[in-house]
Amino acid sequence: MAEKRERSQSPGPEGITRTSNLSAPIIQLSGHAGEVFSMRFSPDGQCIASGSFDKTIFLWRTYDENENYNVIAGHRNAVLEVHWFTDGEALLSCSADKTARCWDAETGAPIKKMGEHTAVVNSCCPLRRGAKVFVTGADDSTVKVWDMRVKKSVHTLRSEFPVCAVAFADAGDQVYSGGVDNAIKVWDLRRGGGADVEPSMLLKGHSDSVTGLRVSPDGGHLLSNAMDNTLREWDVRPYAPPNRCTKVFTGHMHNFEKNLLRCDYAADGSKVACGSADRMVYIWDTSTRKLLYKLPGHSGSVNEVVFHSKEPIVASASSDKTIFLGELTQ
């Protein structure tokens, strides 16, 4: 079991109006021994999973003492992305050790190891509804779709370039991938997998590598972060007009570190956020594209920003080895 982790709180002024059940308006979680690349709230919002360069996944309580109640070890290199399955009972992670793995969220025990990729697995994403199906993307230029009930991958889609980010469409019939060729590829899984399968659609607009993808809460839009220093929203509904890029958000930065900065939607879709190399957390109003927050605190690149599912809480994972939780006022 992990030793007791440090927790620091920023005291707010007297009479501050609280908007969440966090023990303080701003909380910093420390304990990881390396950069924190990914984090995610559990579906019920009670727990947090974080993945780090230190090869571990930490599980934390969102509320009260923010106890670091489990450390999952098993990956042999940096953990690059971590997700909860929708039932909250299992976790999905991917790593620079060329594997993706599933874990029991309660005990931390390994459930499944996916070892087909031949290079760094940069991204993974579970299907939000239904069966435990998920997608992975790697530096070996492949996108693989997996079913927890099947030993091997069920689809292998060959991109011509390394894949940095993947996402699963809510309907379960499409996956999205982005990487160093700047275009976002939409893959129709009904066409099967194999060397001859082409993307059903290309979303073009970014002028540098795509580092993060996230499907909107209603499933109709896709958010992408890229090294061209733009965050873009795409209309991925069927029969949408040809120019599917509907919004561009700017202000955040990528830099020479070339970290895979991720992005996220608020639970109601009203806000978007993303990581930034300038150590700030950026949050925009989705409809007006206005920058609502530029939050300081981290002393290293902010690699991922995520929203809580039920409360106005935002969390950020950073190369400074820490996580910040903060409540939003608007």
Side-chain angles (χ1 to χ4, degrees), residues 7-328:
R7 182 175 74 115
S8 57
Q9 296 180 183
S10 302
E14 285 302 312
I16 191 166
T17 307
R18 296 297 305 279
T19 59
S20 80
N21 290 307
L22 289 177
S23 57
I26 301 168
I27 297 167
Q28 188 177 29
L29 306 178
S30 55
H32 274 298
E35 296 99 316
V36 188
F37 289 131
S38 181
M39 67 175 300
R40 201 76 77 247
F41 286 106
S42 59
D44 64 5
Q46 294 295 312
C47 303
I48 297 163
S50 57
S52 168
F53 180 77
D54 67 13
K55 310 178 190 175
T56 66
I57 298 164
F58 278 21
L59 299 180
W60 315 78
R61 305 256 181 243
T62 306
Y63 301 107
D64 301 325
E65 291 298 305
N66 305 105
E67 177 197 0
N68 170 215
Y69 66 91
N70 207 344
V71 174
I72 300 176
H75 277 299
R76 293 185 177 149
N77 207 327
V79 179
L80 299 178
E81 191 161 10
V82 62
H83 284 272
W84 298 78
F85 284 99
T86 310
D87 60 9
E89 294 173 3
L91 290 157
L92 171 66
S93 62
C94 64
S95 167
D97 68 6
K98 308 180 187 177
T99 71
R101 303 184 191 218
C102 299
W103 315 87
D104 184 301
E106 193 65 36
T107 65
I111 299 172
K112 189 175 171 73
K113 174 182 169 183
M114 285 64 64
E116 290 180 22
H117 284 294
T118 58
V120 172
V121 186
N122 290 307
S123 183
C124 56
C125 182
L127 178 63
R128 287 199 292 217
R129 303 188 177 112
K132 283 196 172 78
V133 181
F134 53 95
V135 58
T136 56
D139 276 349
D140 61 11
S141 304
T142 67
V143 174
K144 287 180 179 280
V145 179
W146 311 78
D147 186 323
M148 198 82 115
R149 300 160 294 191
V150 181
K151 189 174 182 195
K152 294 186 173 177
S153 60
V154 292
H155 295 292
T156 297
L157 307 159
R158 299 186 192 285
S159 174
E160 291 174 54
F161 299 92
V163 178
C164 303
V166 290
F168 222 124
D170 279 351
D173 57 351
Q174 289 181 324
V175 293
Y176 309 105
S177 70
V180 301
D181 57 338
N182 312 346
I184 298 162
K185 298 181 172 77
V186 183
W187 305 88
D188 189 337
L189 299 182
R190 293 166 296 193
R191 297 183 183 182
D196 54 344
V197 175
E198 296 282 324
S200 57
M201 188 162 49
L202 292 175
L203 303 175
K204 293 184 174 177
H206 282 299
S207 59
D208 206 339
S209 302
V210 177
T211 60
L213 292 172
R214 191 63 55 92
V215 176
S216 64
D218 66 5
H221 290 81
L222 182 70
L223 193 65
S224 61
N225 194 7
M227 291 186 187
D228 61 6
N229 300 329
T230 69
L231 183 70
R232 290 171 184 261
E233 185 179 61
W234 310 81
D235 190 335
V236 290
R237 294 172 295 187
Y239 314 115
N243 182 20
R244 288 174 175 266
C245 182
T246 53
K247 295 191 179 81
V248 180
F249 306 87
T250 57
H252 64 297
M253 288 168 47
H254 287 62
N255 67 5
F256 65 91
E257 294 174 69
K258 299 210 177 298
N259 283 0
L260 299 180
L261 308 183
R262 314 296 191 181
C263 51
D264 196 25
Y265 278 97
D268 61 359
S270 66
K271 300 180 189 71
V272 294
C274 70
S276 182
D278 66 358
R279 311 189 294 275
M280 297 287 183
V281 171
Y282 287 80
I283 303 172
W284 294 264
D285 181 295
T286 311
S287 57
T288 65
R289 303 196 299 276
K290 180 181 168 220
L291 183 64
L292 299 175
Y293 295 92
K294 182 180 176 182
L295 305 173
H298 282 296
S299 58
S301 170
V302 176
N303 300 317
E304 178 146 47
V305 180
V306 292
F307 290 96
H308 193 274
S309 59
K310 298 181 170 59
E311 289 201 288
I313 299 171
V314 68
S316 53
S318 170
S319 291
D320 66 10
K321 308 179 188 176
T322 74
I323 292 163
F324 267 111
L325 308 180
E327 60 186 30
L328 302 177

